[in-house]
Amino acid sequence: MAALIRTANKGDAGELARIYNHYVTATHMSFETEKVPVAEMARRVGETLAMPLPWLVAEQTGQVAGFAFAARWKSRDAYRYVAESSIYLDPAMIGCGHGLRLYTALIDAIRDLSVHSVIGVIALPNEPSISLHERLGFRKCAHFEQVGYKHDRWIDVGYWQLLL
Ligand SMILES: CC(C)(COP(=O)(O)OP(=O)(O)OC[C@H]1O[C@@H](n2cnc3c(N)ncnc32)[C@H](O)[C@@H]1OP(=O)(O)O)[C@@H](O)C(=O)NCCC(=O)NCCS
Protein backbone atom coordinates (compact mmCIF):
# COMPACT_ATOMS: atom_id res chain seq x y z
CA MET A 1 0.00 0.00 0.00
CA ALA A 2 1.33 3.47 -0.90
CA ALA A 3 2.41 5.64 2.02
CA LEU A 4 0.27 8.55 3.15
CA ILE A 5 2.09 11.86 2.56
CA ARG A 6 1.08 14.57 5.02
CA THR A 7 2.38 17.70 6.70
CA ALA A 8 4.48 17.03 9.80
CA ASN A 9 3.42 18.21 13.23
CA LYS A 10 5.30 18.61 16.48
CA GLY A 11 3.89 15.28 17.68
CA ASP A 12 6.02 13.56 15.01
CA ALA A 13 9.22 14.91 16.56
CA GLY A 14 10.13 11.68 18.37
CA GLU A 15 9.95 9.62 15.17
CA LEU A 16 11.72 12.31 13.14
CA ALA A 17 14.55 12.42 15.69
CA ARG A 18 14.81 8.62 15.73
CA ILE A 19 15.19 8.51 11.94
CA TYR A 20 17.42 11.56 11.59
CA ASN A 21 19.76 10.64 14.45
CA HIS A 22 20.65 7.41 12.68
CA TYR A 23 22.11 9.53 9.86
CA VAL A 24 23.76 11.90 12.36
CA THR A 25 25.58 9.17 14.26
CA ALA A 26 26.18 6.42 11.69
CA THR A 27 26.72 8.18 8.35
CA HIS A 28 28.31 11.18 6.63
CA MET A 29 24.95 12.11 5.02
CA SER A 30 24.15 14.68 7.72
CA PHE A 31 26.92 17.08 8.71
CA GLU A 32 25.54 17.30 12.23
CA THR A 33 27.63 15.31 14.69
CA GLU A 34 25.49 15.42 17.85
CA LYS A 35 22.10 13.71 18.17
CA VAL A 36 19.20 16.16 17.82
CA PRO A 37 16.93 16.09 20.90
CA VAL A 38 13.21 15.54 20.36
CA ALA A 39 12.36 19.04 21.63
CA GLU A 40 14.80 20.60 19.15
CA MET A 41 13.27 18.55 16.33
CA ALA A 42 9.82 19.84 17.33
CA ARG A 43 11.19 23.39 17.32
CA ARG A 44 12.62 22.90 13.80
CA VAL A 45 9.29 21.58 12.49
CA GLY A 46 7.45 24.58 13.95
CA GLU A 47 9.97 27.05 12.59
CA THR A 48 9.84 25.56 9.09
CA LEU A 49 6.03 25.49 8.90
CA ALA A 50 5.88 29.08 10.20
CA MET A 51 8.19 30.35 7.41
CA PRO A 52 5.99 29.08 5.67
CA LEU A 53 7.88 26.18 4.09
CA PRO A 54 6.85 22.52 3.75
CA TRP A 55 7.84 19.70 6.12
CA LEU A 56 6.25 16.45 4.99
CA VAL A 57 6.22 12.92 6.37
CA ALA A 58 5.49 9.61 4.67
CA GLU A 59 3.40 7.40 6.91
CA GLN A 60 3.05 3.67 6.34
CA THR A 61 0.39 1.89 8.40
CA GLY A 62 0.66 4.52 11.13
CA GLN A 63 4.48 4.51 11.24
CA VAL A 64 6.60 7.44 10.03
CA ALA A 65 8.64 5.98 7.14
CA GLY A 66 10.56 9.16 6.39
CA PHE A 67 10.42 12.90 6.06
CA ALA A 68 11.37 15.70 3.70
CA PHE A 69 11.53 19.41 4.31
CA ALA A 70 12.56 22.71 2.80
CA ALA A 71 14.70 25.44 4.30
CA ARG A 72 15.66 28.88 3.15
CA TRP A 73 18.86 28.68 1.13
CA LYS A 74 20.37 31.86 2.57
CA SER A 75 18.87 34.61 4.71
CA ARG A 76 19.80 37.64 2.55
CA ASP A 77 16.67 38.95 0.90
CA ALA A 78 17.59 38.46 -2.75
CA TYR A 79 17.80 34.70 -2.08
CA ARG A 80 14.13 34.57 -1.05
CA TYR A 81 13.06 32.57 -4.12
CA VAL A 82 15.54 29.73 -3.40
CA ALA A 83 14.89 26.75 -1.12
CA GLU A 84 17.13 23.91 0.05
CA SER A 85 15.47 20.48 0.08
CA SER A 86 16.30 17.48 2.29
CA ILE A 87 14.96 13.94 2.68
CA TYR A 88 15.63 11.13 5.14
CA LEU A 89 13.93 7.74 5.25
CA ASP A 90 13.85 5.19 8.00
CA PRO A 91 16.66 2.81 6.88
CA ALA A 92 14.16 -0.07 7.08
CA MET A 93 11.93 1.72 4.55
CA ILE A 94 14.52 2.45 1.85
CA GLY A 95 14.03 1.13 -1.67
CA CYS A 96 10.22 0.83 -1.58
CA GLY A 97 9.29 3.96 -3.55
CA HIS A 98 8.68 6.20 -0.52
CA GLY A 99 11.58 8.49 -1.43
CA LEU A 100 10.29 9.29 -4.90
CA ARG A 101 6.71 9.95 -3.70
CA LEU A 102 7.81 12.05 -0.74
CA TYR A 103 10.35 14.14 -2.64
CA THR A 104 7.92 14.69 -5.52
CA ALA A 105 5.34 15.94 -3.02
CA LEU A 106 7.94 18.21 -1.41
CA ILE A 107 8.91 19.75 -4.76
CA ASP A 108 5.23 20.29 -5.60
CA ALA A 109 4.69 22.02 -2.23
CA ILE A 110 7.76 24.21 -2.78
CA ARG A 111 6.53 25.10 -6.28
CA ASP A 112 3.19 26.19 -4.81
CA LEU A 113 5.06 28.82 -2.77
CA SER A 114 6.38 30.50 -5.94
CA VAL A 115 9.93 29.44 -5.14
CA HIS A 116 12.03 29.65 -8.32
CA SER A 117 14.92 27.33 -7.54
CA VAL A 118 15.53 24.29 -5.30
CA ILE A 119 18.98 23.14 -4.23
CA GLY A 120 19.82 19.68 -2.91
CA VAL A 121 23.07 19.47 -0.96
CA ILE A 122 24.56 15.98 -1.15
CA ALA A 123 27.50 14.76 0.94
CA LEU A 124 29.39 12.42 -1.36
CA PRO A 125 29.35 9.61 -2.18
CA ASN A 126 25.58 9.01 -2.16
CA GLU A 127 24.44 7.38 -5.41
CA PRO A 128 20.81 6.79 -4.32
CA SER A 129 20.39 10.48 -3.47
CA ILE A 130 22.12 11.66 -6.66
CA SER A 131 19.91 9.37 -8.72
CA LEU A 132 16.74 10.49 -6.93
CA HIS A 133 17.59 14.17 -7.50
CA GLU A 134 18.43 13.65 -11.18
CA ARG A 135 15.29 11.56 -11.73
CA LEU A 136 13.30 14.62 -10.59
CA GLY A 137 15.17 16.98 -12.92
CA PHE A 138 17.90 18.34 -10.64
CA ARG A 139 21.26 18.96 -12.34
CA LYS A 140 24.65 19.09 -10.65
CA CYS A 141 25.83 22.69 -10.44
CA ALA A 142 28.71 22.69 -7.94
CA HIS A 143 31.23 20.42 -6.28
CA PHE A 144 33.20 21.37 -3.20
CA GLU A 145 36.14 19.22 -2.20
CA GLN A 146 36.84 18.25 1.42
CA VAL A 147 34.48 20.75 3.08
CA GLY A 148 33.17 18.29 5.69
CA TYR A 149 35.17 16.41 8.30
CA LYS A 150 33.35 13.58 10.03
CA HIS A 151 34.25 10.09 11.23
CA ASP A 152 37.95 10.89 10.73
CA ARG A 153 37.83 11.76 7.06
CA TRP A 154 37.23 14.62 4.65
CA ILE A 155 33.95 14.67 2.74
CA ASP A 156 33.13 16.34 -0.60
CA VAL A 157 29.76 18.02 -1.13
CA GLY A 158 27.83 18.44 -4.39
CA TYR A 159 25.00 20.86 -5.09
CA TRP A 160 22.15 19.77 -7.37
CA GLN A 161 19.76 22.48 -8.60
CA LEU A 162 16.22 22.38 -10.00
CA LEU A 163 14.74 25.46 -11.65
CA LEU A 164 10.98 25.42 -11.19
C1 LIG B 1 17.83 8.80 -1.06
C2 LIG B 1 16.55 8.16 -0.52
C3 LIG B 1 15.61 9.24 0.01
C4 LIG B 1 15.85 7.44 -1.70
O1 LIG B 1 14.60 6.94 -1.22
P1 LIG B 1 14.05 5.49 -1.66
O2 LIG B 1 12.70 5.30 -1.11
O3 LIG B 1 15.07 4.46 -1.31
O4 LIG B 1 13.97 5.67 -3.22
P2 LIG B 1 12.83 5.09 -4.18
O5 LIG B 1 12.65 3.62 -3.91
O6 LIG B 1 11.63 5.95 -4.12
O7 LIG B 1 13.54 5.27 -5.60
C5 LIG B 1 13.46 6.53 -6.25
C6 LIG B 1 14.71 6.76 -7.06
O8 LIG B 1 15.83 6.94 -6.18
C7 LIG B 1 17.00 6.38 -6.82
N1 LIG B 1 17.50 5.27 -6.00
C8 LIG B 1 16.92 4.71 -4.91
N2 LIG B 1 17.71 3.74 -4.40
C9 LIG B 1 18.79 3.68 -5.18
C10 LIG B 1 19.98 2.90 -5.16
N3 LIG B 1 20.20 1.96 -4.22
N4 LIG B 1 20.92 3.12 -6.11
C11 LIG B 1 20.74 4.08 -7.05
N5 LIG B 1 19.62 4.85 -7.12
C12 LIG B 1 18.67 4.65 -6.20
C13 LIG B 1 16.56 5.91 -8.19
O9 LIG B 1 16.68 7.00 -9.09
C14 LIG B 1 15.10 5.62 -7.97
O10 LIG B 1 14.35 5.69 -9.13
P3 LIG B 1 14.08 4.30 -9.97
O11 LIG B 1 13.41 3.38 -9.01
O12 LIG B 1 13.22 4.74 -11.10
O13 LIG B 1 15.44 3.82 -10.37
C15 LIG B 1 16.83 7.09 0.57
O14 LIG B 1 17.75 6.18 0.04
C16 LIG B 1 17.41 7.69 1.84
O15 LIG B 1 16.69 8.15 2.72
N6 LIG B 1 18.73 7.64 1.93
C17 LIG B 1 19.43 8.04 3.18
C18 LIG B 1 19.32 9.53 3.46
C19 LIG B 1 19.82 10.36 2.32
O16 LIG B 1 20.79 10.03 1.65
N7 LIG B 1 19.15 11.48 2.11
C20 LIG B 1 19.53 12.42 1.11
C21 LIG B 1 20.55 13.35 1.69
S1 LIG B 1 21.15 14.45 0.41
Side-chain angles (χ1 to χ4, degrees):
M1 192 174 64
L4 168 74
I5 309 288
R6 61 166 174 80
T7 295
N9 59 66
K10 291 183 182 182
D12 294 316
E15 281 295 278
L16 303 181
R18 178 186 66 78
I19 293 168
Y20 183 61
N21 285 332
H22 162 75
Y23 294 103
V24 171
T25 56
T27 79
H28 68 280
M29 293 166 190
S30 164
F31 272 12
E32 294 195 73
T33 55
E34 302 292 330
K35 283 185 177 181
V36 176
V38 173
E40 167 59 13
M41 192 59 88
R43 190 198 65 75
R44 293 182 189 187
V45 170
E47 182 180 70
T48 299
L49 298 180
M51 288 292 285
L53 285 169
W55 190 312
L56 303 178
V57 301
E59 191 180 296
Q60 181 80 64
T61 53
Q63 278 271 109
V64 175
F67 62 94
F69 64 94
R72 273 202 71 164
W73 171 242
K74 286 180 184 288
S75 59
R76 299 252 165 100
D77 196 45
Y79 285 116
R80 66 192 178 280
Y81 294 109
V82 188
E84 179 179 341
S85 54
S86 300
I87 180 165
Y88 294 94
L89 294 191
D90 183 327
M93 299 288 194
I94 280 175
C96 312
H98 296 317
L100 184 61
R101 286 198 66 231
L102 186 54
Y103 220 39
T104 301
L106 184 79
I107 304 304
D108 287 347
I110 292 172
R111 185 182 283 108
D112 288 347
L113 294 170
S114 302
V115 169
H116 182 60
S117 173
V118 189
I119 296 176
V121 176
I122 306 179
L124 302 170
N126 189 342
E127 276 309 312
S129 181
I130 292 171
S131 181
L132 174 64
H133 281 83
E134 294 188 345
R135 200 178 183 292
L136 289 173
F138 286 75
R139 292 291 166 253
K140 190 174 185 182
C141 59
H143 186 118
F144 299 99
E145 293 183 58
Q146 301 185 14
V147 287
Y149 191 82
K150 189 172 176 182
H151 298 156
D152 300 321
R153 65 180 186 85
W154 290 106
I155 302 159
D156 288 6
V157 166
Y159 286 3
W160 269 256
Q161 183 178 29
L162 176 67
L163 289 178
L164 297 174

